[in-house]
Amino acid sequence: MKDQEQPNVARDLLRIHAVITRALEVAGRNCHDILSNNQKAPDGLLDYIQTCATVLKAHHELEDELAFPYFRDLLKEMPFEKLQADHKQIHEQVEKIMGWIGEQRTNRSDRGSLESITGALDKIAGIWSPHIRIEETHASVERLGQLIPVEEHKKITVQYSQHGMKHAQPGYLVVPFLLYNLDPESRKKMAKPMPGILTGFIMPVLWKRKWAAMKPYFLP
């Protein structure tokens, strides 16, 4: 059990993967339901989809800029070119989603942009599952635990957290999105490297009204 509690950068990546996997499923399912019932997308869902796209792009930027260069000498068999090609395909869809969300906010009756968002989410989901399977197979908790010293894991965790906070904005949407797409135990571990004042006061008190509309799509 003690070994399971040791810092490990692969666990950090697994938690981000879990956030994005759930968010893609929730966003896609809700979009399909709204289209099937000829309804309009609520503000909270548009915030949720926009934040999912933001987090996805920031996560891949972290991998391209920090994780993959670090892993190249450790995991020589990892297919980095394939993974980065996947990133490019996903980012193309992310950019389109951002534009269509703007159209939705301007005209909530625009069914075409909502259909386009839904299609893009489906395309991303189709790339995402096999993509993270490759990453999690090669950069597993066990493998990185053997190859990277514990103190180095700690430093990398802080570095990744700082990169995420800088590149994934606005924080008032991103922080609750990251935490509340996880079960309570994983949520505690995700929050650990974040400043205590952020998770204990700023997010739940000062920012609460700004992210409240997304709450129906979060875990309790």
Side-chain angles (χ1 to χ4, degrees), residues 105-219:
R105 293 192 191 278
T106 301
N107 179 10
R108 207 54 62 86
S109 298
D110 180 7
R111 186 176 174 89
S113 60
L114 184 58
E115 289 175 342
S116 296
I117 290 170
T118 306
L121 288 170
D122 289 344
K123 288 178 183 177
I124 292 173
I127 300 168
W128 177 252
S129 292
H131 176 83
I132 62 170
R133 193 176 305 122
I134 293 171
E135 292 184 351
E136 293 171 6
T137 298
H138 289 275
S140 67
V141 172
E142 294 76 14
R143 188 81 186 279
L144 294 189
Q146 294 169 355
L147 295 173
I148 303 173
V150 172
E151 290 304 314
E152 186 70 10
H153 279 287
K154 291 179 182 178
K155 290 191 334 191
I156 294 171
T157 294
V158 173
Q159 185 183 28
Y160 285 8
S161 179
Q162 291 173 343
H163 185 283
M165 291 174 68
K166 180 179 178 181
H167 289 80
Q169 295 292 333
Y172 59 79
L173 295 181
V174 169
V175 175
F177 179 90
L178 291 174
L179 297 179
Y180 287 101
N181 275 299
L182 291 171
D183 63 83
E185 187 60 33
S186 297
R187 191 178 303 156
K188 288 181 186 177
K189 293 173 181 175
M190 172 72 81
K192 191 172 181 180
M194 297 180 182
I197 192 170
L198 173 62
T199 56
F201 178 68
I202 295 174
M203 185 201 71
V205 179
L206 297 185
W207 287 349
K208 189 171 183 179
R209 288 186 180 180
K210 294 183 177 181
W211 59 267
M214 293 196 296
K215 197 171 181 180
Y217 309 101
F218 289 161
L219 290 169

Side-chain angles (χ1 to χ4, degrees), residues 7-35:
N8 190 302
V9 67
R11 288 197 186 94
D12 300 333
L13 296 175
L14 283 171
R15 280 191 282 273
I16 290 289
H17 287 173
V19 167
I20 296 171
T21 298
R22 179 181 187 272
L24 288 172
E25 190 279 323
V26 170
R29 170 165 43 83
N30 277 275
C31 283
H32 280 288
D33 288 347
I34 288 168
L35 288 171

Side-chain angles (χ1 to χ4, degrees), residues 59-95:
H59 170 62
H60 284 165
E61 288 173 346
L62 183 151
E63 289 185 332
D64 290 339
E65 295 170 16
L66 299 179
F68 288 176
Y70 184 85
F71 290 162
R72 278 187 185 275
D73 289 336
L74 296 176
L75 306 170
K76 295 185 183 297
E77 75 288 357
M78 195 167 178
F80 294 103
E81 288 72 22
K82 158 65 176 167
L83 295 173
Q84 290 179 310
D86 288 347
H87 289 181
K88 184 178 179 181
Q89 290 184 60
I90 289 172
H91 290 176
E92 288 172 355
Q93 298 302 316
V94 163
E95 292 302 320

